Amino acid sequence: MTQDPFDELDDVVLDEDFISGGAKEAAADERIAKAQRVARANDRLRAEGEIADGVGKPRFHRVRKSMPWILIGALIAAGIVVVAIVAR
């Protein structure tokens, strides 16, 4: 018989020691201050040209990737038509 994985939790007591031993999260005002510092740093880097703003960024062109396959398919189709005309 397999052991129930929840049996290990039977001995856990959710008291003040358990809660105080958990992960600590910064207070809301500390998180806001950190977010503002990051935003200011990003603004500074953007002004210095270190962060791209999307202008002049190369776009993904699917046509460019599929163009060789379209060309190859067209050439094969033209070859089949030529062979069919010649064989007739």
Side-chain angles (χ1 to χ4, degrees), residues 52-58:
D53 59 358
V55 177
K57 188 175 182 181

Side-chain angles (χ1 to χ4, degrees), residues 25-38:
E25 183 175 295
D29 55 346
E30 293 172 359
R31 294 192 312 265
I32 291 170
K34 181 179 178 184
Q36 290 172 340
R37 284 193 305 272
V38 169

Side-chain angles (χ1 to χ4, degrees), residues 3-4 7 11 14-17 27-29 34 36 52-53 57-58 65 71-73 76 81 87-88:
Q3 182 180 356
D4 186 12
D7 286 343
D11 297 330
L14 302 177
D15 58 0
E16 291 298 320
D17 292 334
D29 55 346
K34 181 179 178 184
Q36 290 172 340
D53 59 358
K57 188 175 182 181
K65 287 187 170 223
L71 183 61
I72 290 170
I76 291 173
V81 169
R88 199 166 136 197

Side-chain angles (χ1 to χ4, degrees), residues 50-72:
E50 295 294 323
I51 294 179
D53 59 358
V55 177
K57 188 175 182 181
R59 288 187 227 144
F60 176 73
H61 291 287
R62 192 159 193 71
V63 174
R64 196 177 313 150
K65 287 187 170 223
S66 62
M67 184 55 83
W69 293 107
I70 294 171
L71 183 61
I72 290 170

